[in-house]
Amino acid sequence: MKWLVLRAFNTLTGRKEEVDLPKDRPVRIYVCGITPYSSTHLGHARPAVFWDTVAKYLEYRGNEVYMVQNVTDVNEKVWTRSQLEGVGEKELARRYNREYEDVLEDLGITTIDEYPWVSDHIDEIIDMVEALIEQGHAYQVDEDVFFDVSTFERYGQLSGQSPDELVAGARVEVDERKKHPADFALWKSPTENQPSWPSPWGQGRPGWHIECSAMAIKFLGFGFDFHGGGTDLIFPHHENEIAQSEAYADDSPFVRCWIHHGMITGEDGKMSKSLGNFVTADELLSEYRPEVVRHFLLSAHYSTPLKYSEEIMKKSQRAFDRLISCVQSLDQLLDSNPEEDVPLADSEAEEVYAVADEMKREFCSAMDDDFNTARALAALFGGVRKVNGFINTPDFALSADVKQALADVKDQLEICSRILGVWPEKGILQDDAGPDTVGLESEAQQELVQLLIEVRQEAREKKLWGIADKIRDGLAELNIRLEDTPQGTRVRSTREG
RNA sequence: GGCGGCGUAGCCAAGUGGUAAGGCGGGGGUCUGCAAAACCCUUAUUCGGCGGUUCGAAUCCGCCCGUCGCCUCCA
């Protein structure tokens, strides 16, 4: 496979640019993670699924990937919530982080190499703040330390606004001790009895922003390849990250390409806790299979807002069903013996190979073009449609050559699907049929279903349609659907989730 | 008020200079004992509006409208 250039939209420059992928070292990626103070919702799942897909794609492309996602466990929100629940800040963070990790595991996210915690990097943070003070980029007031925005001429580059413009519309009252209203805290004294750490400026806590700079530089070095996060983090978080990091290193750029994903929205705007319109990842995963959730999250380009609704989830469910159905058809053909002396077997096989090639080409072209997962999904399903069309033609015959070509197309479907995470990882009947379905363990249930199919088949051969339909209808009520195909009766679970 | 994103069929969504992918839904057919699934045909003379550049614009430029986000320690 000959790779073309990868292009990505860089928030810093505001345009799509070519990204040279390093050949002698891993692609280094930092993605803003969560603040573990409440349940994981869909908005947290989007970046995780998106970046997991990017990493898997880059690996498929032949690049190693090293990806880091932080855990902001020292933070006002964590503190506030811990007070409400009457537990320690650390304990609360651990609990919600565990929940987040479980969701990531359910969603098949396997590409994140490090999850650094802020509370484990206080030393690095203090070192960085000290250096910034020495360099004249930061100043101490009482027991707080602020970054001096006026010493960094590129301030505002990412968000496209000057410090004064930012201040003009500010809705918060400004700390009078700051030299410039846009200055931000690097280190601050604790309120009440918050956990705090000793520092040259007294007991205190890191400000927001500084932890990401310190941890990104520690794990990835200065000038790494991609930095991801939500559009809501562009200002102030990422703007400040750039300022303090580039000031600290006296170098530029801190990040080669900034990628910001759009917000998940509910019926009334951005999904957030304060609006109460969020859907937790757990809720969704109890209703839909992870592959379906991934399909939904990848069905629009990462940069656009994505509206959640029950209806749209049903669409993703159907799309996933379509993929499964195609794979099952392929499996059945690959399990059967090829016919001999099939006319035109060569050209038929060529046709199938062409489907696989075209799908792969279009898939890669979509991913290379600013990680366009919506287009990649379209390429995948285009392949599904063509395969279905091919094996459904009236004069379709399974020659040995065609069989081999179909095996190839199935491999390609699997490769593309696995990158996106929509490949049915777990069996469709076996794992779906929990005890609630028919009150039996799955293996016993399978055997039972097989028996029923055989009985029904005998009934059909004797044209006892009433009995045959009773079995089919009865199983349908248990969410087990029977489909009669020329290759025999196929079993499908219609249970969602 | 400032900055940025977005606006494509009933719905979701690709398409960033060469004449509108795909999916869902709808309509018609094929297959089937009947179904289901699948397949085939069909469903936007036009891309929020108005101007401009160009042989040619959904694509580039300007203005306007709508919408979302940020300017609050939010993914």
Side-chain angles (χ1 to χ4, degrees), chain A residues 415-463:
Chain A
I415 288 169
C416 295
S417 302
R418 279 189 190 282
I419 290 170
L420 299 167
V422 297
W423 184 254
E425 292 290 344
K426 294 173 182 168
I428 296 309
L429 178 62
Q430 301 88 309
D431 292 84
D432 269 359
D436 293 343
T437 310
V438 286
L440 289 169
E441 291 300 321
S442 47
E443 201 172 316
Q445 182 198 8
Q446 274 197 93
E447 287 172 20
L448 207 66
V449 170
Q450 278 311 317
L451 183 64
L452 283 167
I453 288 172
E454 282 167 32
V455 172
R456 176 166 173 272
Q457 188 52 35
E458 283 179 30
R460 290 180 72 211
E461 279 160 16
K462 290 173 184 159
K463 300 197 191 300

Side-chain angles (χ1 to χ4, degrees), chain A residues 32 158 227-230 233-234 236-242 258 260:
Chain A
C32 275
L158 187 70
H227 190 136
L233 293 179
I234 294 171
H237 186 53
H238 291 158
E239 190 72 71
N240 293 351
E241 235 183 288
I242 291 174
W258 285 89
H260 288 98

Side-chain angles (χ1 to χ4, degrees), chain A residues 128 209-218 241 244-245 254:
Chain A
M128 195 165 167
H209 323 306
I210 190 71
E211 81 287 358
C212 278
S213 292
M215 297 192 295
I217 291 171
K218 173 182 173 180
E241 235 183 288
Q244 68 208 172
S245 302
F254 169 50

Side-chain angles (χ1 to χ4, degrees), chain A residues 143-379:
Chain A
E143 294 189 334
D144 292 358
V145 179
F146 294 100
F147 183 86
D148 187 344
V149 165
S150 69
T151 67
F152 186 70
E153 67 283 0
R154 289 189 297 279
Y155 194 80
Q157 194 183 1
L158 187 70
S159 54
Q161 303 216 88
S162 71
D164 293 331
E165 285 171 328
L166 286 163
V167 170
R171 287 173 274 170
V172 211
E173 46 196 286
V174 175
D175 188 332
E176 291 299 326
R177 300 173 303 162
K178 290 179 183 176
K179 288 187 190 171
H180 186 284
D183 290 352
F184 55 93
L186 297 172
W187 187 263
K188 53 210 226 181
S189 47
T191 60
E192 306 165 63
N193 50 339
Q194 288 178 322
S196 61
W197 290 263
S199 80
W201 320 285
Q203 284 285 316
R205 290 159 63 85
W208 191 31
H209 323 306
I210 190 71
E211 81 287 358
C212 278
S213 292
M215 297 192 295
I217 291 171
K218 173 182 173 180
F219 286 94
L220 302 173
F222 190 87
F224 54 92
D225 302 297
F226 292 105
H227 190 136
T231 53
D232 55 348
L233 293 179
I234 294 171
F235 187 89
H237 186 53
H238 291 158
E239 190 72 71
N240 293 351
E241 235 183 288
I242 291 174
Q244 68 208 172
S245 302
E246 297 194 351
Y248 168 79
D250 192 22
D251 196 3
S252 178
F254 169 50
V255 172
R256 295 177 60 211
C257 185
W258 285 89
I259 304 270
H260 288 98
H261 61 264
M263 300 291 104
I264 304 271
T265 58
E267 291 308 319
D268 11 273
K270 177 179 164 185
M271 194 172 276
S272 74
K273 299 185 179 142
S274 46
L275 282 172
N277 62 348
F278 64 93
V279 180
T280 68
D282 276 348
E283 279 168 354
L284 207 62
L285 284 166
S286 70
E287 224 182 311
Y288 299 97
R289 292 178 60 101
E291 299 91 331
V292 175
V293 175
R294 285 187 71 124
H295 177 97
F296 161 65
L297 291 171
L298 297 173
S299 64
H301 186 257
Y302 73 81
S303 67
T304 63
L306 181 58
K307 201 181 335 174
Y308 165 83
S309 69
E310 302 250 345
E311 195 190 345
I312 201 142
M313 289 307 300
K314 296 266 183 286
K315 287 179 184 171
S316 286
Q317 176 68 53
R318 296 198 62 141
F320 178 65
D321 288 345
R322 217 172 131 72
L323 175 63
I324 290 173
S325 178
C326 179
V327 172
Q328 285 180 328
S329 301
L330 282 172
D331 279 340
Q332 266 174 351
L333 288 169
L334 295 174
D335 271 348
S336 46
N337 294 318
E339 298 167 32
E340 287 176 24
D341 302 325
V342 175
L344 299 172
D346 284 358
S347 60
E348 300 255 289
E350 286 307 313
E351 200 180 315
V352 178
Y353 282 121
V355 168
D357 278 351
E358 192 191 327
M359 177 177 70
K360 185 166 79 175
R361 240 196 338 271
E362 174 52 24
F363 179 89
C364 292
S365 152
M367 290 300 289
D368 281 343
D369 183 13
D370 200 17
F371 307 117
N372 196 327
T373 55
R375 243 180 81 196
L377 236 18

